[in-house]
Amino acid sequence: MAQFLRLKKSSNAFNSSAWSLLAELIKIEAMLTTATSSFTRTTAATASRLPAAAAATLALRLRASPPCDRSISGASLWFRRGVHATTSPTSVPDALVVGAYRQQPASNKTAPGTSVAPSPRLSTAASGALDVSATAAASVAKQLAASRFDARPGQVRLLYDLDSAAGVPPITAVMGLGAEPGPEADAATFAEASRLAAAASVRALAPFAPQTDGPGPLSVAIEAFFGNARAAAEGATLAGFKFTRFRSEGRKAAGVVAALASGATPEAAAEWDEGVVLASAQNLARELSETPSNHLPPRKFAQSAREALAGLEGVEVLERDADWIEAQRMGLLMAVARGSAEAPRVVEIVYRGAEDSTEKPIALVGKGVTFDSGGISIKPSAGMASMKGDMGGAAAVLAAMVAVAKLRVRRNVVAVIPLAENMPDGTATRPGDVVTARSGLTVEIDNTDAEGRLILADALHYAAETHKPWAVVELSTLTGAIDVALGSAYAAAFTASDALWGELEAAGRAAGDPFWRMPMAPVSTVAAAGSSDGDTDSTPASPHAAAAYGRALKDATVVADLCNVGGGRSGGACTAAAFLARFVPPGVEFAHLDIAGVFENKGVSGCLGKGMTGRPVRSVVEFVRTAAQRVDVA
């Protein structure tokens, strides 16, 4: 058909060759139409080769199959309709997802020299009963055995029309869960297994979702795998994310809408709802990070923050403009923003959730470079487009605040988000310029591509001085060095506080998005660290090994208090962390989370698809909920 259309576009080409090709296509279409009609009317003509019941079942399954991309004629529309069963008044979903455990057969019943493959056993999660008719249960067992399903983790089988008369959805997905956990099972491990199972099921069913001109999204009911409804909701919601804002309508799919399977307890339903809130917050961070920079400069990010938090109880959102930034003496933030036509912003979010209004808050600070060209120290062109996501820390902080407010966490939390573009023009900051920070320290800007730490330095000092938090946790896509060190498995956590690290580690493990601790000297030690040559600072060098990163920042300049980069490439992520620590007053616990290695996926990984990840939103929310407040911090 494509060849025919190309011929038709040429006024001189529509000749006998074109008519011959069209004639052949018409014959093929007629053959397909006849074959389709004959198949759907299978009777005695095929009874000798295919039983009628089997033929009917096969016809149903073909109609329920995903769209066929190899169609060549109008008759193929019959195959392309996909599955989108009309929702009935009884609210039967389009698909049901259940789990199956892998159970080993009794070894004493096998003949010598033979082995029996593991057999699956359908699970019924403690927090969500699976309501399947006897007919459906028998059909499931038979089809699973025929397809050699052994319930390995991640294995999936799609079954069709098990018992529609009993209200069973047209499609049933059976997910392999592996061995059934015992009483000693690690909760975090099986929570992650629940997320992955739910995510895999949504991906398996996604091809059945109709296009936007269809009747609506594919509705899917999912079992609470391993009894963990929250984790299942997270996995399903994260896997169902699609960023389609800038696609034409014809290329958008209606998507999948997941819900907890019927029969769940009220507790499980509440856990499911909580999981949806958490994963939806992470998806918000993904959406913001995917948005092209021309659609999300600082002013529009601030607008998005107001919209995302509108109407939430206990939340105040303040948008600070360039005049306010100048008045606050935030010289480092203004130095980064000077090269762009887009004015900088600071978004300040205050959430009052604690019963005691005087309770010290937790402060979250997120790097919001809405596009990073590198400035005068311009980046290579390869991969620069991904620098639209250099505000991943800001997106994660905003999304975490949305989740904290929606879940009504009983804590006081503040967020400070500095926003700027880093661009090279005639007014841009030059390498070698010296700028004064809000704290009063002077900084020589040796590399304008090390801009994130500059805007964060002023934001950290403001957050700590103004809100008097007991702890500050800062998130940023700060250094490529941390991607080299850790890759995408862990976000890096730099902190000198053992207590703060313990809480971050526990939160990351519980959320299934872990942190790895990196070295940082105590804030007071970093501030007191002397220059190694002794010429510019008479303070003795600190015995703390990590203080060497702070000394490198002093040694790299002879004209200012600090340089924004250390000397050379060694320890780049560590010197960046040490730089930030200089702007946090003593007495405030501080953690720097470098998320440069985890903010983008190059392909499908776990619950997340290709693109921006929104990590580690859920871990940050878990930390806020579970960290023990320390009023008098040494």
Side-chain angles (χ1 to χ4, degrees):
M1 186 64 77
Q3 184 180 353
F4 165 69
L5 291 176
R6 284 195 297 270
L7 287 169
K8 186 176 180 181
K9 288 179 181 178
S10 172
S11 58
N12 298 323
F14 198 70
N15 50 26
S16 58
S17 297
W19 285 113
S20 298
L21 176 59
L22 178 60
E24 290 299 319
L25 289 173
I26 292 174
K27 289 180 182 178
I28 294 173
E29 180 172 6
M31 291 170 63
L32 285 171
T33 304
T34 302
T36 299
S37 176
S38 298
F39 180 79
T40 56
R41 298 193 308 270
T42 300
T43 56
T46 57
S48 60
R49 300 173 60 186
L50 187 66
T57 300
L58 183 57
L60 173 65
R61 294 182 189 179
L62 284 173
R63 287 196 296 273
S65 295
C68 176
D69 294 330
R70 293 174 292 181
S71 55
I72 60 170
S73 72
S76 66
L77 291 176
W78 183 82
F79 295 97
R80 292 165 51 198
R81 288 180 297 183
V83 173
H84 44 254
T86 303
T87 303
S88 67
T90 56
S91 300
V92 175
D94 298 319
L96 173 67
V97 180
V98 298
Y101 292 121
R102 194 181 198 199
Q103 59 180 12
Q104 294 289 341
S107 58
N108 59 355
K109 294 184 179 181
T110 60
T114 63
S115 62
V116 179
S119 59
R121 181 181 65 79
L122 285 180
S123 68
T124 301
S127 57
L130 176 62
D131 184 15
V132 178
S133 70
T135 300
S139 180
V140 167
K142 184 177 180 180
Q143 294 190 49
L144 292 182
S147 65
R148 299 187 179 182
F149 177 82
D150 60 9
R152 291 190 304 272
Q155 193 179 31
V156 60
R157 289 290 185 271
L158 299 183
L159 313 177
Y160 306 93
D161 193 35
L162 295 178
D163 191 353
S164 57
V168 178
I171 310 172
T172 298
V174 182
M175 288 302 309
L177 302 177
E180 187 170 5
E184 74 289 346
D186 177 67
T189 299
F190 284 101
E192 182 64 7
S194 179
R195 288 186 198 96
L196 294 175
S201 67
V202 167
R203 290 198 188 100
L205 292 167
F208 295 88
Q211 297 300 308
T212 49
D213 57 355
L218 187 79
S219 60
V220 178
I222 299 180
E223 178 187 308
F225 302 116
F226 302 105
N228 196 319
R230 169 180 152 177
E234 290 173 356
T237 305
L238 292 171
F241 173 80
K242 299 289 183 184
F243 185 73
T244 58
R245 176 179 170 185
F246 298 101
R247 291 186 178 272
S248 60
E249 289 299 320
R251 298 184 64 192
K252 294 182 180 180
V256 174
V257 174
L260 186 60
S262 62
T265 65
E267 292 78 12
E271 289 178 6
W272 177 277
D273 292 342
E274 183 178 301
V276 170
V277 169
L278 290 164
S280 296
Q282 184 170 343
N283 285 346
L284 170 62
R286 297 165 79 183
E287 183 170 353
L288 291 169
S289 299
E290 288 286 8
T291 302
S293 299
N294 62 322
H295 291 272
L296 198 69
R299 57 189 167 82
K300 289 194 174 181
F301 186 102
Q303 178 183 338
S304 297
R306 292 196 306 271
E307 293 171 352
L309 292 160
L312 295 179
E313 184 179 347
V315 177
E316 180 182 11
V317 182
L318 302 170
E319 179 183 347
R320 312 295 197 177
D321 61 13
D323 291 339
W324 180 91
I325 294 170
E326 292 273 18
Q328 285 292 321
R329 311 178 315 282
M330 292 184 172
L332 298 181
L333 173 53
M334 291 303 299
V336 173
R338 279 172 51 185
S340 174
E342 290 286 349
R345 292 288 192 276
V346 171
V347 173
E348 190 172 354
I349 306 167
V350 180
Y351 170 72
R352 300 176 180 88
E355 295 180 2
D356 180 1
S357 61
T358 64
E359 178 183 293
K360 284 190 173 185
I362 295 172
L364 304 177
V365 177
K367 171 187 168 183
V369 178
T370 56
F371 186 76
D372 181 18
S373 70
I376 297 298
S377 307
I378 197 163
K379 294 177 180 291
S381 60
M384 193 188 289
S386 67
M387 288 298 98
K388 67 182 181 180
D390 208 22
M391 33 61 71
V397 166
L398 170 58
M401 293 297 288
V402 170
V404 164
K406 287 185 175 181
L407 295 173
R408 298 185 177 181
V409 175
R410 295 303 179 190
R411 290 291 175 84
N412 291 335
V413 190
V414 299
V416 178
I417 302 173
L419 298 158
E421 285 187 341
N422 186 23
M423 300 291 285
D425 82 347
T427 63
T429 295
R430 299 164 292 270
D433 285 359
V434 175
V435 182
T436 302
R438 187 181 189 276
S439 68
L441 287 173
T442 57
V443 178
E444 180 182 2
I445 301 175
D446 181 66
N447 184 343
T448 64
D449 194 25
E451 84 300 330
R453 66 199 70 182
L454 299 176
I455 71 172
L456 288 168
D458 281 339
L460 285 167
H461 189 265
Y462 173 81
E465 185 181 75
T466 304
H467 294 286
K468 303 294 190 295
W470 68 266
V472 178
V473 177
E474 172 271 321
L475 290 79
S476 52
T477 50
L478 202 62
T479 66
I482 205 63
D483 183 29
V484 174
L486 298 181
S488 61
Y490 295 89
F494 292 82
T495 182
S497 168
D498 292 338
L500 190 56
W501 161 244
E503 289 159 344
L504 285 168
E505 181 185 34
R509 178 165 172 74
D513 195 354
F515 301 109
W516 190 267
R517 191 177 189 180
M518 299 293 285
M520 174 178 279
V523 172
S524 57
T525 302
V526 173
S531 174
S532 61
D533 61 15
D535 291 338
T536 59
D537 195 327
S538 60
T539 307
S542 167
H544 197 291
Y549 302 120
R551 287 196 300 273
L553 298 167
K554 290 188 173 186
D555 291 345
T557 179
V558 296
V559 298
D561 296 325
L562 295 171
C563 186
N564 74 325
V565 292
R569 294 168 54 88
S570 299
C574 300
T575 54
F579 182 90
L580 296 175
R582 284 301 308 270
F583 299 89
V584 179
V588 179
E589 295 193 27
F590 173 58
H592 156 56
L593 306 181
D594 194 336
I595 61 174
V598 304
F599 85 109
E600 184 178 17
N601 275 353
K602 302 304 181 184
V604 175
S605 177
C607 300
L608 306 173
K610 182 180 179 180
M612 301 301 177
T613 66
R615 296 172 60 187
V617 168
R618 292 178 295 109
S619 296
V620 172
V621 176
E622 185 69 16
F623 162 75
V624 170
R625 298 172 71 180
T626 59
Q629 183 179 12
R630 294 175 287 285
V631 178
D632 297 317
V633 180

